[in-house]
Amino acid sequence: MATSSLISSKPRFDSLIFPRVQSSDVISSAGVAVNRKNSGRNAFRGVGVVRCNKVVAIDDPKVEGVGEKKREKGRVLKVGLICGGPSAERGISLNSARSVLDHIQGDDLHVSCYYIDPNLNAYAISSAQVYSNTPADFDFKLESLAQGFETLTDFAEHLAASVDIVFPVIHGRFGEDGGIQELLEKSNVPFVGTRSKECRTAFDKYDASLELKRQGFITVPNFVLQGNELDESGLSRWFSNNQLDANSGKVVVKPTRAGSSIGVTVAYGVADSLTKVREIISEGIDDKVIVEIFLGGGREFTAIVLDVGSDFDQQPVVFLPTEVELQSNDSGDISEKDAIFNYRRKYLPTQQVVYHTPPRFSLDVIYKIREGASILFKRLGLRDFARIDGWFLPPSATLSSSKTNDFGNTESGTVIFTDINLISGMEQTSFLFQQASKVGFSHSNILRTIIQHACLRFPTLASYCNESNKSTRTLKSSKIGESSTKQEGLKKVFVIFGGDTSERQVSLMSGTNVWLNLQVSGDLEVTPCLLAPGNDDSFEVVDVQNQNDIGSRAVWSLPYSLVLRHTTEEVLDACIEALEPTNAALTSHLRKKVMDEISNGLKKHNWFTGFDISDEQPIKLTLQNWIKLAKKVHATVFIAVHGGIGEDGTLQSLLETEKVPYTGPGFSASKICMDKVATSLAVKHLTSFGVLTINKDVRKKEDLINKSPCDIWNEVTSKLQCETLCIKPARDGCSTGVARLCCASDLGVYVKALKDCLPRIPPNSLAKAHGVIEMPVPPPEFLIFEPFIETDEITIISKSKNENERLLWKGNSRWVEITVGVIGKRGSMKSLMPSVTVKESGDILSLEEKFQGGTGINLTPPPLSIMSTEALMKCKERIELIANTLELEGFSRIDAFVNVDNGEVLVIEVNTVPGMTPSTVLIHQALSEEPPVYPHRFFRTLLDLGSERFM
């Protein structure tokens, strides 16, 4: 099918950047090419490496250094990165793999990517799939997209012949329970991490607690229940023995072999505990469950352990632990009172949890945590690295079962270790990177250190270990305003994120991802900057004439470790703490102690080139002075501030006044697109070209609060001529405050949430089933009502245990929801490949589904079973028409409904500063280009477009 002239006549934005390869090849990281034509469930026959535009086979003996197991001097280390697995954590595993892939590649180290599906089928995948939001994005098309292996034994044999060492990043089952390790051990494949036998003991929470008790550590009293016949009488006796009321005693119920807080819940009494246990078993999470005493009054912590010893001589060093502080909103909601560090709190950036590194414990407690974690690492036989979690109990909450001589007692209270994480999460701001950066390691440096330490155990990799590795990336991010002669000639980039809208946490994720991707470029000096909330009064800023002026807003220049936080509030608090003399002195003391221990171990290895993160303090400026500084140093500003002044044209206007180049659309386009009503009016004349808009009714928040929900419901549904409504903030995004309303009572629930300033509406509070609805805080002044657009549900189902997932779509309405990135210069914007968005719960994409890696499903490109090539081309043409009509430039994202038959587009909204998180759909779409555009290149392209603004 020929494409339209509007699309085909324009130059490809990536055509001069990437080498051309055959369209039948899928290109992986570091040059792995998998041929689609020969894909299937056949045993893997070869992987390709792309070098100098030539595709060759790894097992081709004619290629120097390739196919030989022994590493020759100058040959790259070949790392096999394995993700996925059968557990509910496979989405997080994909996030970890993506992060590892981003940070370890170099001229001396190439990565091949592999995926284990839920049924334990193994595939060689391209690295493009690693950048998917969730495995469900590609599970259903693995047969045509990846190279499969007949058996796991075939897979292991392939690894033995094709890679030097395996880095498993499978969380939970098969990754941390010894499964993948045993498979690799049987085929003598070197791998990073702990052996299978030790994994089995440490992974099972019940077995681990028994082992800790045998080793003389204080443990949490627990009771194990397994199988269909649950020991109710035994559980009752356990409640009695631990002075717990049989009807109301508060306990924690958790699977023993699930990990990552999946299935962990609070219960009251014996009967409720048994109910929660049965739910865990019936849901297939685990058939072995433990009931533990609820540690009321305790404070949770987690600590990363790095082995810096030689060969099999362990020398574990424990980093600065992190305290996990759970927040509650005192709403009286029972779920808030039962708050635990669950899966959602771990992986979604909200203010429900705050991290403190180092923890706010006394020094004797911190020392005891570090000492205990080190002892556990050695006694449990762990290798390379691990994460160990536990609790600190004040004297008033000390367990009655503990003995005086048990390890963990201090003058300040009791330290208890509870969980051993053998493959710690490796997302960009995970505990591993937070704690590593505090003691001098960048992402790349800590990951490479772990891999290189693992290589020490294997004679075949000795030559790699013995060579000095000088190719570790040199970071060029620095303190703002720093006039360093050694960095002269580098292009300055200020990445700004944060703000005070409901989208500020996503903005932090976007800004962090942009900063980490751009600093890989050798010619850039990248500085991360936090736009503080408008009410930031942490200390007086000099030269402020008018506190109400936008220009007086505070901007913080951030050192490396302070960026890696959970929320913008956490970053801001960390900045203030870093400048407080007592806190700064304590952190410096602990940092030096840990770094000395690391240096004493790693200095024996010539591959260790030292630490690459210095101990710097944040710097605070006014926004006005920050912009003037950007002008002075000729910096380009990369805008990652979602909503508010970052997206309504305010920041763009300030930068334009000073002629400071910046990314994204200009002032006028930004102002229009921020207002959903103005956006509709700007493209309303395009109806005859197949571009449609949704009718809207705008209401003030006060009017909604002060008027009867029934009256408002009747007025709006009559005006818009519909039966169900979609309500959303008029000038906000990020899925916050967006809900489907089916009746007046739904509207009443929503309005009450606005009135009470609730941070979220609990699941299933409305007439139709839905997930958590995050609400803007403070509530928006204006809200929009629209007719709810009905689309047919797209589901991804598994046909059987031995078959891959497949799509199911009825197609009655003929409309699907899409999101599309556009990129280029004003007047010649190019549409990327559209993605069909799939909602996993309810009718509105949740905050998680949009931005939390490992959740949400995007089908890129739209499957032919849903949308024809002709309709897709017409859709892209209309998307480009919308972009150019709105005078967009740089990059943006357009959300719309599309008619799958004729490609007509019904505009939802335009995001001029779209999400740029590691799992953003824009990356999926860029990777669908020919050739694929990988994240480093993608963000550099966006930066270059911004840098050319005033040329």
Side-chain angles (χ1 to χ4, degrees), residues 218-221 293 295 393-395 397-403 414 416:
I218 298 172
T219 58
V220 183
I293 289 178
L295 297 176
L393 302 181
T398 300
L399 293 172
S400 58
S401 59
S402 64
K403 300 175 183 177
T414 306
I416 304 174

Side-chain angles (χ1 to χ4, degrees), residues 597-750:
E597 292 175 17
I598 294 170
S599 295
N600 288 337
L602 293 182
K603 67 183 180 182
K604 301 187 291 287
H605 312 301
N606 58 10
W607 46 259
F608 180 64
T609 57
F611 302 105
D612 55 348
I613 300 296
S614 58
D615 188 14
E616 298 176 342
Q617 288 189 324
I619 297 175
K620 186 177 183 181
L621 300 168
T622 63
L623 177 59
Q624 184 177 21
N625 288 339
W626 178 81
I627 291 173
K628 288 181 178 179
L629 180 61
K631 180 178 181 179
K632 179 181 178 181
V633 300
H634 306 290
T636 297
V637 172
F638 199 117
I639 300 176
V641 179
H642 303 312
I645 70 169
E647 206 161 354
D648 67 4
T650 301
L651 183 55
Q652 290 80 359
S653 177
L654 292 171
L655 292 167
E656 285 183 14
T657 299
E658 295 293 336
K659 292 291 188 289
V660 175
Y662 60 89
T663 57
F667 158 72
S668 179
S670 297
K671 184 177 181 180
I672 290 173
C673 293
M674 183 66 170
D675 187 325
K676 297 178 177 67
V677 176
T679 304
S680 291
L681 292 174
V683 297
K684 199 170 185 65
H685 66 285
L686 300 178
T687 303
S688 61
F689 296 95
V691 175
L692 312 177
T693 58
I694 304 174
N695 292 329
K696 295 174 172 59
D697 183 57
V698 183
R699 301 277 173 137
K700 286 185 177 180
K701 177 190 66 176
E702 288 78 8
D703 294 341
L704 297 180
I705 292 173
N706 296 325
K707 199 168 183 179
S708 163
C710 288
D711 291 342
I712 297 173
W713 180 264
N714 292 332
E715 288 174 11
V716 175
T717 53
S718 176
K719 179 180 178 179
L720 298 179
Q721 298 182 339
C722 61
E723 295 182 356
T724 58
L725 298 169
C726 179
I727 188 171
K728 62 181 72 172
R731 296 170 63 82
D732 211 331
C734 189
S735 288
T736 51
V738 183
R740 178 182 184 177
L741 308 178
C742 297
C743 55
S745 61
D746 281 356
L747 178 58
V749 171
Y750 189 94

Side-chain angles (χ1 to χ4, degrees), residues 11-21 25-29 36 101-102 105 126-132 513 517 823 830-833 860 918 920-945:
R12 302 167 59 86
F13 80 93
D14 57 348
S15 59
L16 301 179
I17 298 174
F18 296 94
R20 302 293 297 175
V21 294
D25 289 327
V26 178
I27 306 302
S28 81
S29 64
R36 290 193 185 104
L101 181 65
D102 273 342
Q105 289 196 99
S126 83
S127 59
Q129 305 318 128
V130 175
Y131 291 98
S132 299
N513 189 45
N517 273 280
I823 186 169
K830 177 187 184 296
S831 170
L832 296 176
M833 181 63 70
T860 312
T920 177
V921 72
L922 295 180
I923 296 298
H924 314 170
Q925 295 174 6
L927 287 165
S928 293
E929 294 293 310
E930 290 290 349
V933 182
Y934 283 84
H936 299 324
R937 182 70 261 169
F938 177 71
F939 288 114
R940 181 58 190 265
T941 300
L942 305 186
L943 175 69
D944 290 344
L945 286 168

